[in-house]
Amino acid sequence: MSKKLLAGLIILSFLAIACSDSNDHFDENEYTQQNFEINNDESELESVLSRNGAGVLSISSITASNRASLTRQAVEDEDPQVSDIALEQIATVDPPVVDGTTLRASHVKIDGNYAYVTYMMEGEAYLGGIDIINITDKTNPFVESRVTSDIVDFTSAYFNNGRLYFASAVNTDELLNLEYRANIGYVSVSEGNFLQDFQLKPIEGNVAVDIAGFNDRIIGVSGATGVLGLYDAASLETILEQTIPDLRSIAYGDNKIAVLSGSEGLAMYNPNDLSVLNNISTPNLASESKRTIAFKDQAILVSEGSNGVGIYDSNSGNALQQLDIQILPEAEYDDADVVTNAVSIAGDFILMANGGAGFGIAKLDENNTLVEEGVVDLEGSSNYIQSDGEYIFVASGTGGLRIIKISQPEVNENFAECESYDVYTGRSNLNVNSNEVLAYRGSATLKNLNVGGDFTFCGSINIQNGANINSQGEFNMRGAMAVGTYGRNHDLNINSGSVLRIEGSLTVYGNLNLNSGATLEFVGEDSSIHVFGTVRQNSGSTVVGTYNDTSNKLQ
């Protein structure tokens, strides 16, 4: 497969690899420092991360039962129902630029407090990079280390035991002693920084398209006429290899290796000897297209282009469910761009990168029956998606990588009384009138919130546009609350004679306005607040309780 075909096959890919002065395994490869550059400059890397667009994400709920009857006017103006998930975009990462060319993100591997992002270049050039993003603090993610290369595309990554393993395509015109352009390899990582011990291992093919691992073994695949292989994690020596045509993606789960071929469909392999456990018929995939697979317990999910996501039983091979691509009614899209490029799992939710149709969400019950669908309001196309259940990373070509946080507050013993409340399933514009007493629990994303009466919420509540606690209103919040969008006039207003009482975390992406006579009360010992905008605390307002002001903006 040519590099041009590789560009189509790997719509999003990973950038980087660094060199080593001592290459124990492949001494014949004469790496030079000028080909691989590591950047740990804090001030320089700070500029690649942007807050533009950070804040509460709108989710349009489109369930199977009401999709046909909804119109765009209903979705946008007539107060649609909320979705059962709360999301915040916390930052966007600009991709590396190598030799004047902006790279494309191809893959993300999340491990603990770090996310490893690979990049590549479409076309004939071999340009790539890898970022290490520190996600310890959701209010302050940052790129800790970046490596770029002018001879290597990076397509996938896997982290284990202090090493970042990667799949790649290498310019063998520069590294003449490499037998194949397809390579797997590794680099050691210490405290969020790359070390200069990059190693390469050629495998048959023009590009290594995916990599995974288990125990002390690495699984690698190369596309077109390539191979599925098992390799020793310490030495990268070959243990077993099998030739399989048109490989696209692999996943390890439920003690199986799942392998997706564009022409052969899905197959389950024994991880010990690469014997075939079963074959699963899936639709043929378009040539030169990136697709991914993911395990959900014993089910295997496949991104199937214009067909959406297919869900199959990994043991029997039976088809369990088909998730169509979710499109807002009357939205205008180019049909050729409406394809599911990637699929990932976040708890009970299935996340779909649907190209020009954006970022879709589906929720299945315990019987794999569809119970909820939604579309997340993101600008641009969604070409790749990956989640660890707490964070979601969405790549959009050269438009950057979005870091999204799933709001999942811990519920402790102080929340026991909340179990009796109903889960909120109402409209996205919530008004609590002065004579009302309302209490709910769950995860909800609202457009607007106005509290004039007595309101209690337990769990996660995100308000996209703004929230007002009106005169004599009382809002008791237990869990996680986020308000607004960075750089816009989406404020949290606590007015005269009103009280916002919170036990948990409060994030305000706009401004916090405490009018005279307003009270902001923190309950417990572990509550926190972070305000990205301005705090306007008028005389006569009070802030009481124990809290951690991570933005240092309260008086």
Side-chain angles (χ1 to χ4, degrees):
M1 176 169 49
S2 70
K3 177 61 171 57
K4 184 176 291 184
L5 294 182
L6 161 64
L9 175 60
I10 312 209
I11 293 177
L12 317 156
S13 196
F14 285 17
L15 162 57
I17 184 173
C19 76
S20 172
D21 293 333
S22 63
N23 191 328
D24 296 335
H25 303 298
F26 309 104
D27 290 330
E28 69 273 15
N29 299 326
E30 298 177 357
Y31 305 146
T32 60
Q33 182 61 40
Q34 65 183 8
N35 293 123
F36 309 96
E37 182 176 349
I38 295 174
N39 185 353
N40 296 324
D41 188 311
E42 181 178 348
S43 60
E44 185 174 336
L45 292 175
E46 184 180 11
S47 65
V48 307
L49 190 141
S50 172
R51 293 287 181 187
N52 292 333
V56 173
L57 290 177
S58 172
I59 306 171
S60 297
S61 178
I62 308 176
T63 63
S65 62
N66 70 10
R67 180 199 288 135
S69 62
L70 283 176
T71 64
R72 171 168 284 278
Q73 188 71 20
V75 171
E76 295 184 351
D77 298 331
E78 294 187 8
D79 194 9
Q81 291 180 311
V82 300
S83 178
D84 188 23
I85 189 171
L87 304 175
E88 301 166 50
Q89 180 174 309
I90 56 178
T92 300
V93 179
D94 293 332
V97 177
V98 181
D99 292 347
T101 300
T102 301
L103 304 178
R104 292 179 179 269
S106 54
H107 192 263
V108 179
K109 177 62 180 178
I110 306 168
D111 188 273
N113 292 327
Y114 297 97
Y116 303 90
V117 184
T118 59
Y119 300 87
M120 68 172 286
M121 171 59 191
E122 295 182 358
E124 296 297 334
Y126 290 80
L127 305 173
I130 305 175
D131 281 342
I132 302 178
I133 303 176
N134 189 316
I135 53 175
T136 305
D137 181 359
K138 79 164 190 174
T139 64
N140 185 36
F142 58 93
V143 178
E144 193 152 329
S145 188
R146 168 173 281 184
V147 61
T148 54
S149 172
D150 59 2
I151 61 171
V152 179
D153 283 325
F154 292 89
T155 62
S156 185
Y158 166 74
F159 186 86
N160 185 52
N161 197 28
R163 281 183 177 177
L164 183 68
Y165 297 86
F166 51 81
S168 65
V170 180
N171 185 352
T172 54
D173 294 335
E174 295 290 335
L175 297 180
L176 298 176
N177 292 320
L178 287 175
E179 183 178 2
Y180 302 109
R181 295 184 186 274
N183 277 255
I184 61 171
Y186 70 75
V187 60
S188 297
V189 174
S190 176
E191 297 181 348
N193 291 297
F194 292 109
L195 304 182
Q196 287 189 321
D197 64 346
F198 284 79
Q199 302 294 314
L200 289 174
K201 158 76 171 182
I203 64 176
E204 184 178 354
N206 283 326
V207 53
V209 297
D210 206 355
I211 194 166
F214 64 97
N215 299 335
D216 58 352
R217 295 187 176 187
I218 297 299
I219 314 165
V221 292
S222 55
T225 57
V227 297
L228 162 68
L230 287 180
Y231 308 94
D232 181 83
S235 65
L236 295 183
E237 292 181 359
T238 301
I239 299 172
L240 289 169
E241 286 186 336
Q242 285 199 17
T243 300
I244 303 173
D246 198 15
L247 291 173
R248 306 297 179 90
S249 183
I250 55 174
Y252 179 79
D254 197 31
N255 199 31
K256 304 180 186 73
I257 299 173
V259 179
L260 179 64
S261 164
S263 58
E264 303 281 317
L266 190 64
M268 300 295 154
Y269 288 81
N270 185 317
N272 298 313
D273 58 10
L274 293 187
S275 60
V276 178
L277 299 174
N278 59 41
N279 291 290
I280 301 174
S281 178
T282 60
N284 287 341
L285 301 178
S287 61
E288 307 172 23
S289 60
K290 171 73 172 179
R291 300 291 182 258
T292 70
I293 54 181
F295 274 98
K296 186 179 187 293
D297 300 322
Q298 293 185 352
I300 184 77
L301 285 69
V302 182
S303 59
E304 296 180 344
S306 60
N307 293 314
V309 169
I311 305 177
Y312 305 88
D313 188 306
S314 65
N315 294 318
S316 69
N318 294 333
L320 301 175
Q321 178 73 257
Q322 189 73 34
L323 302 179
D324 295 331
I325 296 175
Q326 306 152 44
I327 299 177
L328 291 174
E330 300 181 9
E332 295 182 0
Y333 300 111
D334 184 340
D335 290 343
D337 293 335
V338 181
V339 291
T340 301
N341 296 307
V343 61
S344 188
I345 305 297
D348 295 331
F349 290 89
I350 297 170
L351 313 176
M352 303 163 62
N354 291 332
F359 164 19
I361 296 178
K363 184 178 182 180
L364 305 181
D365 64 15
E366 62 275 8
N367 298 316
N368 286 313
T369 300
L370 183 65
V371 294
E372 182 181 346
E373 293 183 285
V375 177
V376 180
D377 185 14
L378 288 180
E379 294 182 1
S381 63
S382 295
N383 296 329
Y384 180 81
I385 195 164
Q386 182 64 41
S387 175
D388 67 346
E390 183 177 8
Y391 285 92
I392 301 171
F393 287 77
V394 181
S396 178
T398 58
L401 183 78
R402 301 174 189 271
I403 306 176
I404 297 170
K405 183 75 170 57
I406 303 175
S407 186
Q408 294 178 320
E410 295 184 3
V411 178
N412 55 39
E413 293 181 357
N414 293 330
F415 292 2
E417 64 269 29
C418 295
E419 295 179 1
S420 62
Y421 301 154
D422 292 334
V423 173
Y424 185 72
T425 58
R427 300 296 181 177
S428 62
N429 290 301
L430 177 57
N431 294 296
V432 183
N433 297 321
S434 59
N435 59 346
E436 287 186 303
V437 178
L438 298 178
Y440 295 103
R441 61 185 173 91
S443 295
T445 299
L446 306 178
K447 287 188 175 181
N448 299 281
L449 173 66
N450 291 286
V451 178
D454 189 322
F455 181 50
T456 300
F457 197 95
C458 301
S460 301
I461 190 166
N462 286 0
I463 302 99
Q464 182 185 12
N465 295 331
N468 297 296
I469 317 302
N470 297 321
S471 179
Q472 308 307 312
E474 183 172 323
F475 180 12
N476 299 295
M477 177 65 210
R478 294 178 173 177
M481 177 179 175
V483 180
T485 303
Y486 181 81
R488 302 180 185 174
N489 294 321
H490 295 168
D491 297 347
L492 170 58
N493 301 303
I494 307 175
N495 294 312
S496 177
S498 65
V499 177
L500 172 58
R501 185 177 294 109
I502 185 164
E503 182 177 9
S505 64
L506 172 61
T507 304
V508 183
Y509 288 94
N511 302 314
L512 171 61
N513 300 313
L514 291 161
N515 294 321
S516 180
T519 300
L520 174 59
E521 179 180 348
F522 293 92
V523 178
E525 301 298 322
D526 300 315
S527 294
S528 65
I529 181 172
H530 192 98
V531 180
F532 287 94
T534 301
V535 175
R536 302 185 181 100
Q537 191 171 346
N538 294 332
S539 61
S541 63
T542 57
V543 179
V544 297
T546 300
Y547 60 93
N548 181 19
D549 178 12
T550 55
S551 55
N552 296 314
K553 291 186 177 179
L554 291 182
Q555 297 178 6

